[in-house]
Amino acid sequence: MPQPDGSSIVLTTRVQAMLGWVRKNSLWPLPFGTGCCAVEFNSSVSSHYDLARFGAEVVRFSPRQSDMMIVAGTITDKMGPVVKRVYDQMAEPKYVIAMGACACSGGFYRAYHVMQGIDELIPVDVYVAGCPPTPEALIHGILELQEMIQRGKTHHDRLKTQDRKATTALPG
Amino acid sequence: MTDSRHKTEKPQPPFPAELKALGSQILGSEKTGDGHHEMLVDRSRILEVLRTVKEDPAIHCDLLVDICGVDWPDRDDRFEVVYHLAALETGLRLRIRVPLKEEDPTMPSAFGLWKGANWFEREAWDLFGIHFEGHPNLKRLLTHEAFDGHPLRKDYEPGRRCLLTEDEIMTPEWARENPTDNDQFETHILNLGPSHPATHGVLRTVVQLEGEVIRRAECEIGYLHRCFEKMVESQGWNQVIPYTDRLNYCSSMINSVGYALAVEKLLDVEAPPRAQILRLILSEFSRIMDHAVCLGANLVDLGAVTGSRYFFQVREEIYGLLESCSGARLTVSYARIGGLSHDVPENFSSQVRVLLDTIPGFIDDVEKLVTRNTIFRDRTEGVGVISGAEALAWGWTGPCLRASGIPYDVRKASPYLGYENIEFDVPVATTGDCYARYLVRMEEMRQSLHIIRQAIDSIPGGPVMIDDPHIAPPEKSKAYNEMESMIRHFKLLNDGIQVPAGNGYGFTEGANGELGYYLVSNGGGKPYRIKVRPPCFAIYQAYPHLLEGQMVSDAIAILGSLNIIAGELDR
Ligand code: SF4
């Protein structure tokens, strides 16, 4: 990096850290809004709370274009296969936030048609508590996820380490 | 308790003599106390009775309000199908109950009389296994295709789930056929939703396209079926309130107030005047919030993103008020049976006045941006047209019905909460298209502000909770220091409010139309059955018919204008 006095400095970092830094600041959310929590998600991206301040405002409804799935609302058994399919369609690296009691655990619907937490189906990185969580709580969840991405602690990173271990362990 | 009895009930029109002539067993309206005439009819005569009720000019029940099932495993006739009917002109309200044997739970379909019976009957089939003969498409509605059993029967374990795999996802039969005819080479099937930006949560429509024109459509719902009606059977009467808040979550206060009013009717009590007027003010604010979401989302779908930002700011402003009253922004759980959970903050009036000054600005902004915007008008005028008669036949109520020229509004037709003392207009449009629905909602927001403006000056003092030890828990200081209060507190919280055995239907004007609760109590601390009559359920069932012959992009404009809220639709 050239400096004004003609000298140049070099910034050293690890590729991983660099990638994490880039990724965490350009999250593209896919709002999978079903229930009441989706309304609070809308509040979070609206002008008052303005999620754009945290580099996560480019809401995309296409799974191919987004990397952070925010499941906001109750997932029923009927909806389950759809969640799974949408998740599968997202490209790696991908992250999942379970927003609200329903997505985390089924909430107060312990009943015949309600999935008791989306981790029955897909891996979750951050659970945001609340019924519904306030926009502040959601934003906190996203910041938490950013931190995890930076430190390489997300589900995606864990999978990759496992993969690497598996390949190095291969004979020959 | 005498002073808290119902005083505002409008006199019910007398029981039509024509119905007496039918010779059914008539349970007088005195018995129900909810302003309905009740009849018990044998299933062999039900069609005849329904036809008379609809077609006899002296009765003329033009609105089929609701059909639902009730399960009584201990009775000889295990099932019961309950019809609620209304005549808009005279204000007559009927409830018809039909007992059915367990071995043979079949009865004729009312679809030929009211198209609105369609989904109500499908729901009763799905949840109770009651078979309606002659129904055009009797299959599961709320639960999924792989579901086994009928969950609202009393012997169905609330927690027993059936899992669905991906290959079992519903496709209508007509969509599976391959068009072989050469003339149809341009026909193809398109699936909208359930995960689609314009389907507002979880609605799914399968359409058959010929070029860009929709030839056929079918809706699938139930993607947010959270088993409200099963869950509440295991809760106390007051514990139901958080669940009602999550029905139409865009205006939760209206739901819980409607529910509390329905239970109060059953208990034959009335909340104190201060609570009533506060409920009214907060309900009207909720109506504004609901319309703001509906219009905002409709605008986003049509490409006018700015408008929705203004409207979401309206919501933020109102959230502030709700939060200061109840502690929650969205799902407030603020109403209680017999009043409100606690009083409003001291600066309530000044907060409301600030809102009354700021909200019109946002509405004006959108008005200026949108109302005369050519693109918006081109996309909405003449699109999704439905006539008043047709809308009524489908069971529509609320702003959508009023946009088709029928001025039915529960707040005027059977006033509650003191709406009879307040002066306001019911906006009506005649064209019945998306644009008319937009205009009606815009005007309703202004009318709501007008209502609040009048109500805010007349908030009386006094308690916000009824003074009845069987309904309201004693004050905390008393519960700690007085033996008797402590016992009462203990009993009330353990056993819940005891509602006398009986049934009743309470209805209010929700943001989307008539929101009704049919309550059945067997005299215990828990509801025996609660059936919600969600306004958008009736509205959405007409959606496929509105689509036929329209362009595919109009499907989005129409859907947005109907304001379908999945929480209330699927429960
Ligand atoms: S967590 Fe609460 S607010 Fe969110 S979807 Fe579930 S019930 Fe609704």
Side-chain angles (χ1 to χ4, degrees):
Chain A
M1 223 183 278
Q3 295 294 298
D5 64 356
S7 66
S8 55
I9 56 164
V10 181
L11 203 68
T12 58
T13 176
R14 284 179 304 125
V15 179
Q16 267 316 315
M18 180 71 191
L19 277 181
W21 179 75
V22 172
R23 279 177 184 154
K24 82 169 195 190
N25 287 308
S26 61
L27 289 170
W28 285 25
L30 164 81
F32 200 93
T34 61
C36 353
C37 283
V39 181
E40 281 298 58
F41 174 81
N42 282 344
S43 293
S44 318
V45 289
S46 289
S47 15
H48 197 84
Y49 287 95
D50 197 9
L51 202 52
R53 294 176 295 157
F54 306 97
E57 87 277 25
V58 199
V59 173
R60 282 291 174 270
F61 286 91
S62 157
R64 309 276 186 213
Q65 297 173 343
S66 37
D67 53 2
M68 171 171 65
M69 183 174 184
I70 299 183
V71 181
T74 322
I75 299 299
T76 59
D77 286 338
K78 198 169 189 168
M79 197 64 175
V82 183
V83 182
K84 180 92 177 83
R85 186 187 295 185
V86 170
Y87 176 78
D88 288 344
Q89 285 172 342
M90 288 168 69
E92 296 278 356
K94 52 189 171 187
Y95 316 104
V96 177
I97 293 185
M99 176 182 180
C102 285
C104 295
S105 68
F108 68 173
Y109 296 102
R110 293 238 169 274
Y112 57 87
H113 202 247
V114 178
M115 194 156 278
Q116 302 299 305
I118 53 166
D119 42 15
E120 278 186 21
L121 275 184
I122 57 176
V124 177
D125 291 303
V126 176
Y127 297 84
V128 181
C131 183
T134 53
E136 290 95 334
L138 177 66
I139 292 172
H140 180 238
I142 291 174
L143 293 181
E144 201 63 32
L145 178 68
Q146 291 183 333
E147 193 64 16
M148 286 166 72
I149 295 172
Q150 180 69 74
R151 283 188 285 128
K153 293 275 190 253
T154 62
H155 179 78
H156 164 76
D157 297 306
R158 279 201 298 276
L159 269 191
K160 273 215 342 227
T161 344
Q162 273 170 17
D163 276 358
R164 215 173 306 132
K165 274 188 196 142
T167 22
T168 39
L170 277 182
Chain B
M1 216 161 86
T2 39
D3 56 336
S4 56
R5 293 207 159 236
H6 263 275
K7 299 172 209 95
T8 50
E9 201 66 60
K10 269 218 315 196
Q12 166 78 341
F15 203 92
E18 289 76 4
L19 272 183
K20 287 195 181 137
L22 282 172
S24 357
Q25 190 191 343
I26 289 168
L27 311 169
S29 58
E30 314 75 46
K31 205 176 166 199
T32 63
D34 65 343
H36 280 65
H37 293 299
E38 188 164 313
M39 308 197 303
L40 212 55
V41 177
D42 189 71
R43 80 162 170 202
S44 59
R45 309 207 44 203
I46 180 68
L47 262 195
E48 186 192 343
V49 171
L50 288 178
R51 181 161 296 120
T52 317
V53 162
K54 182 179 178 219
E55 285 163 8
D56 192 300
I59 311 173
H60 194 55
C61 284
D62 37 7
L63 178 67
L64 172 74
V65 179
D66 186 49
I67 302 177
C68 70
V70 184
D71 182 15
W72 299 96
D74 303 332
R75 292 192 183 168
D76 284 348
D77 297 321
R78 173 166 176 185
F79 298 109
E80 194 173 74
V81 175
V82 185
Y83 293 83
H84 282 93
L85 302 155
L88 296 193
E89 221 160 86
T90 55
L92 176 82
R93 291 248 160 196
L94 282 182
R95 171 161 54 244
I96 302 179
R97 297 187 355 224
V98 185
L100 292 176
K101 290 253 180 283
E102 181 176 4
E103 313 80 69
D104 182 24
T106 48
M107 63 182 299
S109 164
F111 182 70
L113 292 169
W114 294 275
K115 288 186 202 160
N118 186 353
W119 279 10
F120 287 109
E121 290 182 346
R122 269 178 75 182
E123 184 187 319
W125 157 248
D126 188 2
L127 303 181
F128 285 93
I130 294 166
H131 191 88
F132 292 87
E133 277 165 355
H135 187 286
N137 186 18
L138 195 67
K139 55 180 193 186
R140 288 197 180 274
L141 183 69
L142 295 179
T143 59
H144 55 73
E145 298 71 28
F147 204 83
D148 176 33
H150 300 287
L152 276 194
R153 291 188 173 185
K154 289 283 173 188
D155 50 12
Y156 192 96
E157 271 291 306
R160 190 169 77 96
R161 285 168 60 196
C162 306
L163 295 185
L164 177 74
T165 60
E166 206 168 310
D167 343 313
E168 287 161 331
I169 294 180
M170 160 278 197
T171 331
E173 228 138 75
W174 51 265
R176 266 182 238 145
E177 296 159 8
N178 273 333
T180 43
D181 192 338
N182 260 349
D183 289 345
Q184 289 195 343
F185 68 99
E186 257 200 307
T187 314
H188 67 270
I189 304 291
L190 187 69
N191 184 47
L192 297 167
S195 168
H196 182 280
T199 57
H200 301 242
V202 280
L203 311 168
R204 178 166 173 232
T205 315
V206 184
V207 294
Q208 184 184 40
L209 293 178
E210 198 178 294
E212 267 194 71
V213 179
I214 297 173
R215 282 285 159 245
R216 194 167 179 181
E218 189 168 333
C219 292
E220 174 76 2
I221 66 168
Y223 290 99
L224 196 59
H225 176 51
R226 310 192 264 201
C227 328
F228 167 85
E229 287 166 12
K230 189 78 175 177
M231 291 311 295
V232 295
E233 287 174 11
S234 55
Q235 312 288 332
W237 288 94
N238 246 335
Q239 290 170 316
V240 173
I241 285 175
Y243 286 94
T244 61
D245 270 6
R246 284 152 182 82
L247 288 172
N248 181 348
Y249 35 73
C250 293
S251 51
S252 35
M253 192 69 196
I254 299 185
N255 302 313
S256 42
V257 168
Y259 169 74
L261 285 171
V263 182
E264 285 160 16
K265 246 188 209 178
L266 216 55
L267 289 163
D268 202 8
V269 297
E270 200 171 80
R274 183 176 171 81
Q276 298 288 56
I277 202 105
L278 290 173
R279 284 172 170 186
L280 179 140
I281 292 174
L282 293 175
S283 295
E284 287 308 317
F285 272 124
S286 303
R287 192 179 315 280
I288 297 174
M289 294 212 300
D290 195 284
H291 288 352
V293 169
C294 165
L295 296 177
N298 198 356
L299 290 173
V300 171
D301 294 347
L302 296 176
V305 183
T306 333
S308 96
R309 294 287 178 257
Y310 285 105
F311 271 150
F312 253 91
Q313 200 52 36
V314 170
R315 287 186 68 96
E316 285 301 333
E317 307 291 335
I318 300 177
Y319 281 153
L321 177 73
L322 290 175
E323 199 171 3
S324 75
C325 295
S326 73
R329 287 158 49 90
L330 186 67
T331 46
V332 288
S333 304
Y334 188 39
R336 288 290 180 280
I337 296 166
L340 296 171
S341 70
H342 51 268
D343 208 342
V344 292
E346 259 164 38
N347 64 351
F348 180 77
S349 296
S350 58
Q351 282 194 63
V352 170
R353 279 179 223 281
V354 171
L355 286 178
L356 286 176
D357 289 340
T358 43
I359 295 177
F362 290 109
I363 303 180
D364 289 342
D365 281 341
V366 179
E367 180 103 55
K368 277 187 223 142
L369 277 170
V370 176
T371 305
R372 287 193 288 154
N373 180 308
T374 327
I375 304 175
F376 179 72
R377 292 185 69 157
D378 281 351
R379 292 281 322 259
T380 52
E381 274 177 326
V383 172
V385 182
I386 187 164
S387 71
E390 184 85 345
L392 202 57
W394 281 107
W396 287 31
T397 47
C400 294
L401 180 67
R402 295 193 280 272
S404 295
I406 298 185
Y408 173 63
D409 187 323
V410 182
R411 291 173 295 174
K412 287 275 188 203
S414 4
Y416 52 97
L417 292 181
Y419 277 109
E420 64 275 22
N421 306 323
I422 286 179
E423 178 265 313
F424 66 100
D425 293 333
V426 177
V428 175
T430 47
T431 43
D433 55 5
C434 295
Y435 190 61
R437 295 192 269 274
Y438 162 81
L439 290 179
V440 166
R441 287 210 172 82
M442 284 298 264
E443 185 52 32
E444 278 192 11
M445 293 167 82
R446 294 186 198 280
Q447 289 298 327
S448 292
L449 290 172
H450 185 54
I451 294 174
I452 299 167
R453 223 168 266 132
Q454 296 170 53
I456 192 70
D457 290 327
S458 57
I459 303 183
V464 291
M465 193 65 185
I466 198 169
D467 184 21
D468 182 333
H470 301 292
I471 296 174
E475 276 170 39
K476 227 171 199 168
S477 58
K478 285 191 182 164
Y480 281 136
N481 298 319
E482 290 172 16
M483 194 58 196
E484 197 184 342
S485 301
M486 195 181 95
I487 294 173
R488 277 196 181 144
H489 187 269
F490 180 80
K491 279 205 68 77
L492 191 63
L493 292 202
N494 264 303
D495 305 343
I497 296 175
Q498 304 294 311
V499 175
N503 56 359
Y505 177 80
F507 55 108
T508 50
E509 179 73 19
N512 287 328
E514 176 174 329
L515 169 72
Y517 292 91
Y518 176 54
L519 310 173
V520 183
S521 168
N522 60 352
K526 290 176 181 172
Y528 186 77
R529 165 108 171 94
I530 296 182
K531 168 70 178 37
V532 186
R533 190 264 177 205
C536 63
F537 188 78
I539 294 174
Y540 193 48
Q541 57 179 334
Y543 180 58
H545 303 270
L546 284 181
L547 289 189
E548 277 160 28
Q550 300 274 349
M551 307 287 274
V552 67
S553 55
D554 292 341
I556 307 302
I558 299 174
L559 181 62
S561 75
L562 297 182
N563 192 19
I564 307 299
I565 308 285
E568 163 185 281
L569 176 76
D570 298 341
R571 283 152 288 143

